[in-house]
Every structure is written in structure tokens, then in C-alpha cells.
Amino acid sequence: MVDDSRISGFYKLSREERVKKLKEVTGLSDEDLGPLVNPGEVDMEILDHMIENVVGSMTIPLGIATNFQVNEKDYLVPMAIEEPSVVAAASNSARMTRDHGGFTATDTGPNMIAQIQVVDVLQPESAKTKIMEAKDELLAFANEQDPILVRFGGGAKDIRIRIFDTKVGVMLITELIVDTRDAMGANAVNTMAEALAPRIEKLSGGRVILRILSNLAEFRLVRVRAIFDRDMLGGEEVVNDIIAAWAFAEADPYRCATHNKGIMNGIDSVVIATGNDFRAIEAGAHSYAAMNGYSPLTKYEKSPEGHLVGSIEIPMAVGLVGGATKVHPAARASVKILGVKTATELGHVIASVGLAQNLAALRALASEGIQKGHMALHARNVAATAGARGDQVDIVAEKLVKEKNVKVERAKELLDELTM
Ligand code: MEV
């Protein structure tokens, strides 16, 4: 945790200076940050046990977003992503909320759903009633599978039954709602579902096939709102045009897919940096967005003073215990930089980044277009690829943009001229 996430001119520092600054403001040690700032330090032995047939590792850049304040706490946010502009854009949007109290986040609690699919049920309605009659006993049995989770205040809390008429006949789906506390919860809920299956078969008189969590985590939602300053955004006209851009997404799924993709740029970056399952988050986000016709995950309105009021509501199945978050040394370092104490707190920050990211994209699109900023950053990439280092990167990149010729060949020529 940091006292103040505003670090003026952070982007202007060299990478080494940024690392120094990061240590200074977070109080973290070389040992804490080592595997993140020097990926070569990550013990291959650990990676070798994470998946199968390991031969190496793949590094992607990790940047720090500044300016985030969520529920009155400041956060520096690690973001792992290959796309330029994303980290700068998130930091910039977060800055525009600070005079209006930053981001305010709430949640539904960390409740996951496990599904047990029953087929060949002759009397589905009476099967449903029988299962609901046994609800307390079923919940108690599910909780016997994970006493530690129960000790931490989590565990199976509820059961709901849904009946579908499908292409292969009637199907009865028993859903177990489990508070998974600080775990993402896939292992916990899958274990419970598998354990309950024989009892469900007996009660329903049918045959169980699947026993697996649902990534449509509708009981693990995070809601965030923030006010983005009208003047910092560029005036009331920009505010109106951002709202019009959002309304476009609301009206059209083709635009909405891209709108939500921009949100996920921010969300996935933090999810990846913290070693969480970004496929689960993507599946949850888009399926939740599609529940009542595919819609934007964010909403925008104008305050009486003309400021932009943004909000987001999104499933947020992230954990802090278990999985890569606990095992991968770089992910552990990211969690330390964030200073979050619970999975829910992590979810609050991630959803705030999603809102910030979306606002930045809409603002750029509704004003100068995204290519200008994008090209400036892309040019730095191209300059570095051509071999530019240190100050050379900015000098070459600037010329590439001015010439409107952002190509590696041209960057090499410019670099040759510079070093002659
Ligand atoms: C690019 O990665 C994301 C955007 O296309 C999002 C959007 O259009 O809202 C800029």
C-alpha cells in the first residue's frame, strides 16, 4: 500500500529510476521485487511445475499505473500487457477522478456457482422439490469437503435448481452457491459439486453428467462508480460526446464488443499481473454483458455540474490464495505492490481500472481519435526494435511520427544518422 499513488513524471524516468522510485514509495525490498523487475530471477523449477512440458517462459512488459484511489485508499497498479497506451491511459483517467473522491467500489461478496447437470429425470418438478427439501443436509455435506474454507467464514451457502427443456430432453441443473472467500474458488466448488453428485442422483432419480463451476459469476459482482472531471476531460462537449459514444455501444453489438474489449484491456492486465485466470474473467465479463442482450459493462451520465459520472458492474472471480497468484514469484510481487489484503479488495481495484480504461478509450475516440497517442507510443516501440536505446528512443520516435513513417527500416536510418 502507498500513501499517495501520484508520482509526478514517473513516465519520464528511466526504467532503473522507476524501479528505484517504486521501492522508495512502497517500501518493498530488492528481494520482494526481484522476480518482477528482473524476470531472469524467476526460478525455472517453479515454472516447470506449474504446467506440463515446460521448456521456457514468455515475458511481457509490466508497467505501473499511477493515480488510483479506490475507497479512499491509494494504489499503484501493476499491469502486464503487450499493447502500448493502456498503462498511460489508465493512469491518466484515474487522475481525473481524484478531485471527486476517486473510485467508490462495492461488491456482492465472493460467491461462486457450481453446476451439477442431471439427465434422464422422469419427474423433474418433484426431483426439484426433493433436492430443496434436503438443502440443509446437502449444504452441510458440501461444507464437510472444505473445513478450512468454512473456518474462514466461507463455504456452501445456498442451492438453486433450474430445469431446461433441451435438444436431448429435460435437464435438471442443481446449482451450489459457495462463498470462496480469498480463493478464486474453482477447486473448492468443483470438489463440492463432485462430492454432492451421487446424492443428487439419488434424490432426482436421474443421472449426473457434468459437475463444474460456472464462469458466469453473477453472485461475485463488483460495482464501481467515479466522477471524471469535466475540465480535465476537455469540456462539456467532450463529456456529451463520450456519452454518445457509450450510447452507440448500448445500441449496437458490433461497437459494444470493442467497447467491452477496451474495458478488458485494463482488467486483463491486472488479472495477468497478479497471476489470476484471465480466461475466467473474460468469460464472466462477456457472458454477464450478454444476460439481457449484449450490453456495455459500463454506463455514463452527466452530473448537474457537467462532470462525467461513470460506473461499471462486472463479475470478478479473482483470488489471492491458491493458484499462480501464490506460486508465481512475479505475481506475488505484484500483489505486494498493490498491497491488497483480500480478493474482494483486489476485485475493487481491477474493476476500477476497467472503468478508467474504458473512459480513456472513449475520450480519445470522441476527441482526437486513438491513432495519435497510439502512434507516438508505437513509434517508441519501433525505435527500440531498430536498436535505439536511452534518449535515442524518444529522438528517433519523434522523427518517425513527424515524418508519418513509423517503420523499422526508417528508424534504423535515423539511428545511423544519430550515431554517425
Ligand atoms: C483498443 O485495444 C481498444 C479500443 O478499441 C477500445 C474502444 O474502442 O473503446 C480503443
Side-chain angles (χ1 to χ4, degrees):
M1 196 191 150
V2 289
D3 291 334
D4 191 345
S5 60
R6 285 170 300 185
I7 310 179
S8 147
F10 192 59
Y11 70 99
K12 287 190 201 144
L13 303 177
S14 68
R15 192 188 78 86
E16 287 73 18
E17 287 167 336
R18 279 188 217 119
V19 172
K20 198 163 156 243
K21 192 81 192 167
L22 186 61
K23 279 188 201 145
E24 206 178 290
V25 296
T26 58
L28 293 172
S29 64
D30 285 336
E31 205 187 322
D32 289 326
L33 292 177
L36 191 141
V37 298
N38 303 313
E41 277 184 27
V42 174
D43 186 350
M44 279 311 291
E45 186 76 17
I46 293 175
L47 302 191
D48 196 8
H49 295 297
M50 280 179 72
I51 61 164
E52 310 71 41
N53 299 357
V54 170
V55 293
S57 70
M58 157 90 191
T59 49
I60 53 171
L62 184 142
I64 301 288
T66 55
N67 300 326
F68 274 86
Q69 189 172 55
V70 183
N71 290 345
E72 294 175 6
K73 261 175 84 172
D74 271 53
Y75 297 92
L76 287 173
V77 186
M79 300 177 76
I81 186 162
E82 86 299 341
E83 185 174 328
S85 304
V86 169
V87 178
S91 308
N92 201 24
S93 295
R95 197 169 51 90
M96 297 182 208
T97 69
R98 292 190 72 99
D99 287 346
H100 303 276
F103 298 86
T104 304
T106 52
D107 60 83
T108 55
N111 304 304
M112 297 299 285
I113 302 169
Q115 297 188 300
I116 302 170
Q117 175 200 22
V118 193
V119 295
D120 304 335
V121 197
L122 293 180
Q123 288 105 26
E125 291 302 336
S126 80
K128 173 178 172 175
T129 312
K130 278 190 193 161
I131 294 170
M132 290 316 278
E133 275 165 23
K135 181 174 138 180
D136 289 347
E137 184 260 322
L138 292 169
L139 289 177
F141 185 68
N143 283 329
E144 278 173 29
Q145 314 307 311
D146 202 333
I148 295 177
L149 183 60
V150 174
R151 185 142 29 94
F152 280 102
K157 304 284 181 195
D158 205 0
I159 287 177
R160 77 172 173 182
I161 312 271
R162 290 150 75 230
I163 297 170
F164 298 116
D165 200 2
T166 77
K167 288 199 169 134
V168 295
V170 171
M171 234 170 245
L172 181 136
I173 311 298
T174 301
E175 292 183 336
L176 189 63
I177 319 294
V178 186
D179 178 337
T180 62
R181 296 282 91 196
D182 285 327
M184 184 274 185
N187 281 333
V189 305
N190 291 340
T191 304
M192 288 181 182
E194 288 188 9
L196 279 190
R199 292 175 185 233
I200 299 292
E201 274 192 339
K202 214 168 176 188
L203 288 162
S204 64
R207 186 169 63 86
V208 167
I209 308 183
L210 302 192
R211 295 143 296 164
I212 186 74
L213 101 163
S214 168
N215 286 118
L216 176 44
E218 69 162 323
F219 302 127
R220 197 173 194 171
L221 297 179
V222 171
R223 299 187 182 97
V224 175
R225 63 182 165 83
I227 298 172
F228 298 92
D229 190 83
R230 176 198 59 207
D231 298 330
M232 288 172 113
L233 282 166
E236 193 147 358
E237 207 174 312
V238 178
V239 171
N240 292 339
D241 288 354
I242 291 171
I243 296 173
W246 163 76
F248 176 14
E250 178 99 291
D252 172 29
Y254 290 86
R255 171 57 207 153
C256 191
T258 322
H259 178 105
N260 285 341
K261 188 274 184 182
I263 297 172
M264 301 316 285
N265 275 344
I267 288 186
D268 284 343
S269 308
V270 192
V271 171
I272 293 169
T274 56
N276 273 288
D277 181 346
F278 62 93
R279 287 86 54 213
I281 294 295
E282 283 280 343
H286 291 285
S287 55
Y288 190 67
M291 278 186 93
N292 298 305
Y294 190 61
S295 310
L297 290 157
T298 50
K299 290 189 167 43
Y300 292 96
E301 293 158 332
K302 197 162 61 168
S303 76
E305 299 79 26
H307 299 301
L308 184 69
V309 186
S311 56
I312 184 168
E313 182 174 288
I314 186 167
M316 200 39 74
V318 290
L320 279 183
V321 299
T325 307
K326 256 292 181 272
V327 174
H328 197 295
R332 292 165 65 127
S334 286
V335 171
K336 282 185 185 155
I337 293 169
L338 277 163
V340 290
K341 296 285 176 280
T342 64
T344 302
E345 186 185 355
L346 174 61
H348 290 175
V349 177
I350 295 176
S352 302
V353 174
L355 177 59
Q357 204 69 54
N358 179 232
L359 178 274
L362 296 188
R363 180 194 180 219
L365 289 165
S367 44
E368 80 260 15
I370 58 155
Q371 282 311 85
K372 193 167 159 231
H374 217 77
M375 269 307 164
L377 287 162
H378 179 57
R380 299 183 83 235
N381 228 329
V382 168
T385 309
R389 295 292 175 265
D391 291 348
Q392 293 170 340
V393 175
D394 283 329
I395 298 170
V396 172
E398 215 167 282
K399 287 195 174 150
L400 291 173
V401 171
K402 207 175 270 169
E403 292 176 3
K404 293 199 170 75
N405 183 12
V406 187
K407 300 262 161 45
V408 176
E409 295 72 40
R410 181 62 188 141
K412 279 188 182 149
E413 287 169 12
L414 290 168
L415 193 60
D416 284 346
E417 282 169 26
L418 204 68
T419 49
M420 255 193 321

